[in-house]
Amino acid sequence: MSGVPRVLSIAGSDPSGGAGIQADLKSIAANGGYGMAAITALTAQNTQGVRGVHVPPASFLREQLDAVSDDVAINAVKIGMLGTVEVVGVVRAWLEAVRPPLVVLDPVMVATSGDRLLDAEAEQALRDLVRLCDLVTPNIPELAIIAAEPAAESWPEVLEQAARVSASYGVRVLAKGGHLSGAEAPDALVDARSGNAGVVTEFDGIRIETSNTHGTGCSLSSALATRIAAGGEWAAAVGESKRWLSESIRAGASLQVGGGRGPISHFAGLWERGGVEPALTAAEVREQWWAQIASVRAEIDGGDFVRALGDGSLDRGDFVWYLAQDALYLRDYARALAEAARLAPTAAEQAFWASSAEGCIVTELQLHESWSVAGELFAASPSAITTEYLNHLLATAARGDYAVLAAALLPCFWVYHDVGSRLHPLAHAEHPYADWLTTYADDAFTDATEQAITIVTALAADATPPVRDAMLTAFVASTEHEREFFAAAHGVSSS
């Protein structure tokens, strides 16, 4: 199927959160599905045991089931605790009416203590329900009850019994070896339905020494329903679900929940690999990054160079020195822009960076030359500040990370446009630097700046947190170099 599997759990409630529908919903979500729940029973329990059970009227369970299926296209159903003949009958009638495409049954029939949870009549009703299922996931005592045989005592006996159940009931069986003694805890997907020659796919497992096993059966069956509904091949879905469960069991103790058999940590892998930081939109990146450099921007605005440039009092020698350094900077900045064009994944981004590189060489350098006496610009040597800024850009380009490079290039658009936009109203016919004040606030540079911001913030929004952090670091570093670049030009001619 395409899209997110919609999985309905029909099971009891565990207020401590480790088993029942609470575990099912966590498992479904952790394995990529959208979970729903119809509650068969309310329990008063915790990690140390069950204190009480309340079974609502079976008719109300049917109302829950109909309410979901009347509105939602269900891709899979996981069935857990049913408890009474009446409840089993309601679920059976609903399955026959709705015919969901996948049904996984975790037959809750035996307590951890070994006590039978169902009377003989309810056990028979549950056996009959097995015939409507695609997969049943019993532990060894439950497999024996379904088979109406003594419990298997060895793994080969478990496989033989699972094959008999599969053939008799026309259902796949996930045979589980967790109740056997020893270090190994194997599982097997057994398919001996009509037309199959007893296909057995075994999965090795090592017993995990932990007390955090509350709800493992619920969690595994829900994971299987989700992954199979997603279109996974059966054996592959079992293997993936087992790996997920093992990871969750190993992390269970870190939750520190309860004093008895604690729950597993359903989202341990997701938390470790993906974290819990919410995704950012491009607009949020734009706002956050601009705020991040607020203090640097304030220092640029309050600096002597920008102030004197704005009111026209800047010494011409300082301005020419600045232009010369900027010309030297633009030549290598154009190289970094060209590298961004080479690395860019889309034609639109390639075109933008390439045209910006051309603009540096053709338009801006020509403009710089028009403001100076012939030979003044390129006769100069790069200052330490200019060299540091270019080293930062060229080293970033050499590392080959397109997103980080784009972030490093952005301040030369964004900061310049910001300064130019606020200085532009100060321009007038007699202003000695009116052309400069006009250039960085004109429509063409405004459009280019907006394109650069759009590209970079979209890259940051789509990036992993480590890449986004690296982008922000490069962006802030370039902004700080811009501040130093402006500051270095003031007072040069008098020094």
Side-chain angles (χ1 to χ4, degrees):
M1 61 161 291
S2 60
V4 176
R6 296 172 293 272
V7 183
L8 172 64
S9 166
I10 306 173
S13 170
D14 173 8
S16 71
I21 61 165
Q22 286 83 352
D24 291 343
L25 293 175
K26 293 172 190 175
S27 300
I28 292 164
N31 285 276
Y34 174 78
M36 301 166 285
I39 301 175
T40 60
L42 304 174
T43 70
Q45 67 171 297
N46 55 29
T47 63
Q48 301 185 55
V50 178
R51 299 181 179 184
V53 179
H54 170 68
V55 180
S59 60
F60 185 68
L61 173 60
R62 181 58 189 255
E63 288 186 49
Q64 294 181 68
L65 295 171
D66 287 341
V68 175
S69 59
D70 287 349
D71 181 49
V72 181
I74 299 169
N75 303 118
V77 172
K78 175 269 165 95
I79 302 172
M81 175 183 178
L82 297 179
T84 69
V85 171
E86 291 77 16
V87 170
V88 176
V90 165
V91 172
R92 179 187 181 95
W94 179 80
L95 289 176
E96 291 174 334
V98 175
R99 295 291 179 182
L102 173 66
V103 180
V104 175
L105 172 64
D106 178 25
V108 181
M109 307 173 80
V110 181
T112 304
S113 62
D115 296 332
R116 304 276 276 258
L117 298 176
L118 305 177
D119 59 28
E121 187 179 5
E123 286 182 355
Q124 185 55 51
L126 196 61
R127 289 191 191 96
D128 294 338
L129 186 65
V130 170
R131 301 183 189 279
L132 297 180
C133 300
D134 299 281
L135 174 69
V136 62
T137 63
N139 57 33
I140 290 176
E142 290 162 346
L143 178 64
I145 294 173
I146 296 172
E149 299 173 358
E153 296 182 355
S154 68
W155 183 238
E157 290 179 2
V158 171
L159 295 180
E160 292 171 2
Q161 195 169 71
R164 289 193 293 273
V165 168
S166 177
S168 298
Y169 291 89
V171 65
R172 298 173 185 84
V173 177
L174 181 66
K176 299 184 291 187
H179 279 68
L180 297 174
S181 59
E184 296 184 355
D187 293 330
L189 181 63
V190 179
D191 187 356
R193 295 172 299 157
S194 177
N196 293 322
V199 177
V200 177
T201 306
E202 295 196 55
F203 302 88
D204 294 335
I206 302 298
R207 193 177 306 280
I208 301 170
E209 294 301 326
T210 179
S211 62
N212 284 77
T213 56
H214 185 49
T216 50
C218 308
S219 301
L220 178 59
S221 55
S222 297
L224 282 167
T226 306
R227 289 186 176 272
I228 295 167
E233 188 268 334
W234 283 80
V238 173
E240 292 162 358
S241 298
K242 277 179 56 64
R243 287 193 297 275
W244 165 78
L245 183 64
S246 295
E247 178 179 56
S248 301
I249 292 173
R250 287 192 295 268
S254 66
L255 295 176
Q256 299 182 336
V257 173
R261 289 198 169 274
I264 69 173
S265 183
H266 295 81
F267 298 105
L270 294 177
W271 292 342
E272 179 179 348
R273 291 184 288 278
V276 295
E277 180 182 342
L280 291 171
T281 66
E284 289 170 334
V285 171
R286 179 175 186 151
E287 180 181 358
Q288 290 183 13
W289 284 23
W290 195 238
Q292 183 77 25
I293 61 170
S295 61
V296 182
R297 291 187 287 113
E299 290 169 354
I300 292 172
D301 291 346
D304 292 334
F305 178 84
V306 171
R307 177 190 53 76
L309 181 63
D311 64 23
S313 64
L314 184 66
D315 184 271
R316 186 183 183 281
D318 289 354
F319 186 62
V320 170
W321 187 90
Y322 160 78
L323 290 178
Q325 294 302 310
D326 201 34
L328 294 168
Y329 165 83
L330 286 171
R331 290 194 302 189
D332 279 343
Y333 182 64
R335 292 187 176 96
L337 289 166
E339 180 64 6
R342 188 186 72 82
L343 295 171
T346 69
E349 291 169 67
Q350 291 168 5
F352 170 73
W353 298 117
S355 65
S356 297
E358 181 185 21
C360 282
I361 300 299
V362 176
T363 305
E364 291 205 52
L365 283 181
Q366 287 180 355
L367 186 60
H368 280 46
E369 289 173 350
S370 72
W371 286 332
S372 62
V373 176
E376 281 184 311
L377 294 183
F378 297 110
S381 298
S383 71
I385 298 299
T386 303
T387 300
E388 288 174 9
Y389 194 176
L390 289 172
N391 284 346
H392 162 63
L393 292 178
L394 296 176
T396 303
R399 285 190 284 270
D401 189 316
Y402 168 62
V404 178
L405 174 57
L409 295 171
L410 180 57
C412 197
F413 289 91
W414 206 352
V415 172
Y416 261 78
H417 180 263
D418 179 57
V419 172
S421 295
R422 280 178 290 100
L423 294 184
H424 177 251
L426 302 177
H428 53 82
E430 288 75 32
H431 196 297
Y433 309 117
D435 287 347
W436 193 99
L437 302 186
T438 301
T439 296
Y440 293 105
D442 66 15
D443 290 343
F445 193 66
T446 298
D447 290 344
T449 298
E450 192 58 38
Q451 287 185 66
I453 294 170
T454 299
I455 289 171
V456 174
T457 56
L459 288 169
D462 291 340
T464 62
V467 171
R468 190 184 308 119
D469 289 344
M471 292 177 69
L472 178 58
T473 297
F475 172 76
V476 171
S478 291
T479 305
E480 291 171 343
H481 282 302
E482 291 287 353
R483 175 192 60 199
E484 300 307 311
F485 196 84
F486 280 123
H490 190 263
V492 172
S493 60
S494 60
S495 62

